[in-house]
Amino acid sequence: MTTNSPSTAPPAHAGHREWTALGVLMLPLLLVSMDVSVLYFAIPAISADLEPSGTQQLWIFDIYGFVLAGLLMTMGSVGDRIGRRRLLLIGAAAFGAASLTAAYADSAETLILARAVLGIGGATLMPSTMALIRTMFTDAGQRAKAIALWSGVMTAGVALGSVMSGVLVEYFWWGSVFLVNLPAMVLLLILGPVLLPESRDPNPGRFDWPSVPLSMAAVLPVVYGLKEIPSEGWNVLYVVSITVGLLFAALFVHRQRTTASPMISPALFRGRGFGPAVTLNLVSAFGMTGSAYFTTQYIQSVLDKSALDAALWALLPSVPIGAAAPLAARLVQKGVHRAHVVTAGFAIAASGYGMLALAGPDAMWLVLTACGVLASGIVMVMSLIMDLALGTAPVERAGTASSLMETGTEFGGALGMAVLGSIGTAVYRHEMPASAPAEARETLGGALAVADRLPGRTGDALATAAREAFTGGMHGAAIAGAVALAGAGVLAAISLRRVRLPEHRKTPDELCSSSGVV
């Protein structure tokens, strides 16, 4: 078992083999994150070909994320028991087979089933990649760099997914958005057994089967309710769904604390820093996803860009993200306390929200800059927080620790959309003229659809009013987001001030060099 106390023997430094293996691990991570958004532009072609019902179309979109979120904790625990590399390769095979099935699906039911299997595969891949990084990079400095790369690739994948979807659908058929997964998965299956080490918990205990349905019953209703609230409002069904999920969450926590061999060991939270890391990671996802809910609509509907143009413009904020996580890791390695860097990251992200609160209905460059600033701050936080969580967790429970962090990301993202989306919607409805049609007072999309049907200046006036009202709603949500992230920065400064990992341990050669011995 690993501990947080420094060892007299320096940790082994990763070499070319480990860094090459990291590159192999980035392939499934990129594709899993891309699959969250890869259907954005493919769905019209899918609808024309497969003719799904409205309900089936929603499930085509949502089943992947639901299954992924529901199985993360289970798969993290399974990987700790059977081996993270083995689970990764099983997941890669399932992901590749499901991608092939989805590409050539001849019915909506087949596509929904394939997307569900993709979610299962994704749930095995994400915690396995992070757990293997924890195993391969035992030096704290190198691990921080590896996790910074991991964070950047995951963030970039979501942005690239929608753009790749638009390009592929433009020149090929809709099934091509799934076929792009196959070469990467084949490469992983070939190189994984050669480059990736196997690792598992040597004493895992009995697998806690009752915790599997309990964890899914806790996660799925809450995620479902939170995802539906922004578009449908605070419907009783969604409130009940969240309440039921929270009740099952309480039962799940009780079982983990009382059973002899829990799926999520309470010992993880005894390590100083792990509990705060889970909480701060959730708030980070809250801020990132909550902003995306507004900025994507702003670029497309307020600025009146086409879907593909909007996706291409949305890539610009990804440019500074590539430097944010490595910069944060470098600062910590130079001796800046992790608490200070995380707090600064939250402050940067909050300032991005502040910029959004100043944007008018025709302020594309300000909004794009705000997105870049916000995302850079969040990525700084998430990379350091993930490194902290894995550094404080015992290496034999790396899969469980990473799955908890990923589950927190899912919860935080859904919560950000629900809370900030509801604030924005409330402001929008308040600022819309009372004389506007009911459909136009509900959503910006509804208002623009109504405006298209109205003659001349009447339609233009309604569209202008709706765009201004939506921008006002974005302002309200941005202020709330800035307050939440600023509060998280204060929490980070307090909760992490006494948490210090051995950020970098010098090798004997480095020690000799620094002391003048040659």
Side-chain angles (χ1 to χ4, degrees), residues 106-145:
D106 58 0
S107 67
E109 292 84 359
T110 302
L111 183 55
I112 291 170
L113 178 61
R115 289 276 289 170
V117 179
L118 282 170
I120 296 173
T124 69
L125 294 171
M126 294 185 76
S128 295
T129 57
M130 182 55 67
L132 284 168
I133 288 174
R134 174 69 174 88
T135 302
M136 293 189 299
F137 297 93
T138 56
D139 175 78
Q142 290 188 316
R143 186 182 66 238
K145 292 178 183 178

Side-chain angles (χ1 to χ4, degrees), residues 48-334:
D49 191 12
L50 303 184
E51 300 181 351
S53 65
T55 301
Q56 287 175 327
Q57 181 169 306
L58 288 175
W59 278 113
I60 290 171
F61 260 115
D62 293 338
I63 191 67
Y64 174 79
F66 285 153
V67 173
L68 176 68
L71 287 177
L72 277 170
M73 286 190 288
T74 297
M75 292 306 179
S77 181
V78 170
D80 286 344
R81 284 167 166 78
I82 71 170
R84 290 105 188 200
R85 184 183 69 182
R86 177 183 295 179
L87 184 65
L88 180 74
L89 297 178
I90 292 172
F95 203 87
S99 297
L100 187 62
T101 302
Y104 293 100
D106 58 0
S107 67
E109 292 84 359
T110 302
L111 183 55
I112 291 170
L113 178 61
R115 289 276 289 170
V117 179
L118 282 170
I120 296 173
T124 69
L125 294 171
M126 294 185 76
S128 295
T129 57
M130 182 55 67
L132 284 168
I133 288 174
R134 174 69 174 88
T135 302
M136 293 189 299
F137 297 93
T138 56
D139 175 78
Q142 290 188 316
R143 186 182 66 238
K145 292 178 183 178
I147 291 177
L149 290 171
W150 187 94
S151 301
V153 168
M154 185 178 67
T155 305
V158 177
L160 288 173
S162 59
V163 176
M164 179 172 287
S165 170
V167 172
L168 289 173
V169 172
E170 180 76 18
Y171 296 102
F172 304 98
W173 98 110
W174 61 263
S176 60
V177 302
F178 297 107
L179 287 184
V180 293
N181 296 335
L182 294 181
M185 291 302 159
V186 171
L187 189 63
L188 176 60
L189 289 171
I190 294 172
L191 296 181
V194 178
L195 294 174
L196 299 175
E198 184 58 283
S199 64
R200 61 172 63 89
D201 186 347
N203 300 297
R206 296 179 60 187
F207 188 73
D208 185 23
W209 287 105
S211 288
V212 175
L214 273 179
S215 66
M216 296 185 71
V219 172
L220 294 181
V222 175
V223 171
Y224 169 74
L226 291 175
K227 284 191 173 183
E228 293 298 321
I229 285 172
S231 57
E232 303 295 333
W234 290 88
N235 187 295
V236 173
L237 172 64
Y238 307 138
V239 175
V240 170
S241 177
I242 293 171
T243 303
V244 170
L246 292 176
L247 289 174
F248 276 108
L251 291 174
F252 177 77
V253 171
H254 175 73
R255 179 166 183 84
Q256 304 316 296
R257 298 180 64 181
T258 56
T259 188
S261 183
M263 176 187 292
I264 307 295
S265 174
L268 278 173
F269 292 88
R270 295 178 193 142
R272 178 179 291 178
F274 187 82
V278 173
T279 302
L280 295 173
N281 181 65
L282 187 150
V283 179
S284 300
F286 174 98
M288 179 73 87
T289 309
S291 68
Y293 178 78
F294 290 95
T295 54
T296 52
Q297 292 186 71
Y298 178 92
I299 295 172
Q300 185 170 350
S301 298
V302 175
L303 298 179
D304 198 24
K305 302 290 184 183
S306 69
L308 184 55
D309 284 345
L312 290 172
W313 279 112
L315 280 179
L316 281 181
S318 301
V319 175
I321 292 175
L327 173 62
R330 185 66 174 167
L331 288 172
V332 172
Q333 291 167 29
K334 287 292 187 180

Side-chain angles (χ1 to χ4, degrees), residues 237 381 400 415:
L237 172 64
V381 171
T400 302
L415 189 63

Side-chain angles (χ1 to χ4, degrees), residues 339-358:
H340 298 157
V341 183
V342 171
T343 301
F346 276 122
I348 292 171
S351 69
Y353 264 125
M355 296 169 69
L356 281 181
L358 300 175

